[in-house]
């Protein structure tokens, strides 16, 4: 797997480096030449845009790995073709989160002259709340990515031009079917109300952190999704080895 991951980074390194440089220059320009509110909004949009671009690049990397003749000749297992793009996207996403956190710390500490740790405590959101939210979002992204990978492999199993459309239909069928099964087997999916409580006061809307409530229903939902993810990965590997043509 490390061999394939090395090739993935080598192939995308110039694009990643160029995107990082553009992001940093854009954020510096927004901080110096744009008003505070506009700069914050555009800055967040910039990070979101880069995150979407990384996700698309991860999907394209997976597609290239299973359809490229040269990639299929590498002495790696079928599982590596699934895990390598996931690790590639996870490392790039983690790097983006670190850059965003560093940028936020510098902006709050130097420009706003505020203590970031103190303001986090005053907001009622503790570090564990942020970590729980990030971990939950990361798992949702991994689970959805596994479904997308399987849909791409299903599309690649058909020679006809309708293959991509079959993959799109397969994706929506899988999402709705798995959601329906999960709601039947468990007590329901995660709700944002489990983490935050919203109250309306005379001064506006107050947000209080409850923390992630790791109830039996939520644990059951996660266990169900882990089991389903393993089955989906197995099905993806089978299609890549037996059905997908390069």
């Amino acid at each position: 797997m490390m061999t394939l991951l090395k090739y993935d980074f080598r192939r995308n390194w110039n694009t990643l480096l160029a995107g990082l440089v553009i992001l940093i220059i854009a954020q510096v320009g927004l901080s110096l030449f744009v008003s505070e509110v506009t700069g914050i909004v555009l800055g967040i949009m910039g990070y979101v845009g880069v995150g979407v671009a990384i996700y698309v690049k991860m999907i394209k990397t997976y597609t290239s790995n299973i359809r490229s003749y040269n990639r299929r000749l590498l002495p790696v297992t079928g599982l590596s073709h699934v895990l390598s793009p996931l690790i590639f996207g996870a490392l790039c996403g983690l790097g983006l989160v670190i850059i965003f956190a560093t940028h936020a710390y510098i902006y709050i500490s130097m420009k706003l002259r505020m203590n970031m740790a103190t303001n986090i405590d005053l907001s009622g959101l503790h570090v564990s709340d942020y970590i729980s939210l990030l971990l939950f979002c990361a798992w949702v992204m991994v689970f959805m990515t596994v479904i997308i990978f399987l849909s791409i492999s299903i599309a690649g199993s058909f020679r006809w031009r309708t293959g991509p459309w079959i993959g799109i239909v397969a994706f929506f069928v899988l999402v709705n079917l798995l959601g329906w099964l999960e709601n039947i087997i468990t007590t329901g999916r995660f709700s944002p109300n489990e983490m935050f409580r919203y109250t309306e006061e005379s001064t506006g809307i107050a947000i209080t952190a409850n923390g992630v409530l790791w109830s039996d229903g939520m644990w059951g939902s996660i266990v169900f999704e882990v089991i389903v993810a393993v089955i989906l990965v197995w099905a993806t590997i089978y299609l890549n080895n037996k059905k997908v043509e390069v």
Side-chain angles (χ1 to χ4, degrees):
M1 183 183 65
M2 295 304 298
T3 301
L4 187 59
L5 184 62
K6 180 183 68 175
Y7 277 103
D8 290 340
F9 270 104
R10 180 180 300 176
R11 179 176 54 184
N12 297 309
W13 180 250
N14 290 333
T15 302
L16 294 174
L17 186 60
L20 175 62
V21 172
I22 293 173
L23 177 64
I24 293 175
I25 293 176
Q27 295 297 338
V28 172
L30 291 174
S31 300
L32 296 177
F33 304 109
V34 180
S35 63
E36 183 174 328
V37 175
T38 303
I40 292 176
V41 173
L42 293 179
I44 294 176
M45 291 177 61
Y47 281 108
V48 172
V50 173
V52 172
I54 289 174
Y55 193 79
V56 173
K57 177 63 70 174
M58 177 182 63
I59 301 298
K60 292 180 65 176
T61 298
Y62 170 76
T63 305
S64 177
N65 286 346
I66 66 172
R67 300 300 297 270
S68 173
Y69 183 76
N70 293 332
R71 298 297 178 187
R72 295 295 290 270
L73 289 177
L74 293 175
V76 295
T77 62
L79 182 61
S80 298
H81 287 95
V82 178
L83 293 182
S84 179
L86 281 174
I87 296 175
F88 169 79
L91 292 177
C92 293
L94 179 61
L96 183 64
V97 170
I98 293 174
I99 294 173
F100 175 78
T102 304
H103 183 192
Y105 178 80
I106 294 175
Y107 181 84
I108 294 174
S109 300
M110 299 184 63
K111 189 169 184 178
L112 300 183
R113 305 293 182 181
M114 300 169 64
N115 189 299
M116 191 171 183
T118 302
N119 282 275
I120 290 177
D121 292 335
L122 292 176
S123 68
L125 304 177
H126 301 290
V127 175
S128 60
D129 297 320
Y130 289 101
I131 294 177
S132 298
L133 181 60
L134 286 175
L135 289 177
F136 175 78
C137 292
W139 169 246
V140 171
M141 295 295 293
V142 169
F143 188 68
M144 292 301 297
T145 302
V146 170
I147 297 177
I148 293 175
F149 283 178
L150 177 57
S151 302
I152 293 173
S153 296
I154 292 174
S157 301
F158 294 89
R159 298 181 180 179
W160 316 311
R161 294 182 179 179
T162 54
W165 293 104
I166 294 175
I168 293 173
V169 172
F171 171 78
F172 285 107
V173 169
L174 286 171
V175 169
N176 287 280
L177 178 61
L178 294 177
W180 176 71
L181 288 175
E182 184 172 357
N183 286 326
I184 291 178
I185 296 175
T186 66
T187 58
R189 296 180 63 85
F190 173 80
S191 172
N193 293 327
E194 295 183 9
M195 175 166 285
F196 302 108
R197 181 172 66 253
Y198 303 89
T199 56
E200 187 173 353
E201 302 175 355
S202 58
T203 56
I205 298 177
I207 302 177
T208 305
N210 293 328
V212 174
L213 302 179
W214 297 100
S215 60
D216 293 338
M218 190 169 183
W219 278 115
S221 179
I222 292 177
V223 171
F224 171 81
E225 290 180 354
V226 170
I227 295 174
V228 171
V230 172
I231 296 174
L232 296 180
V233 169
W234 175 84
T236 303
I237 295 172
Y238 173 80
L239 289 176
N240 290 342
N241 292 336
K242 302 295 185 180
K243 301 295 183 180
V244 176
E245 297 185 0
V246 296

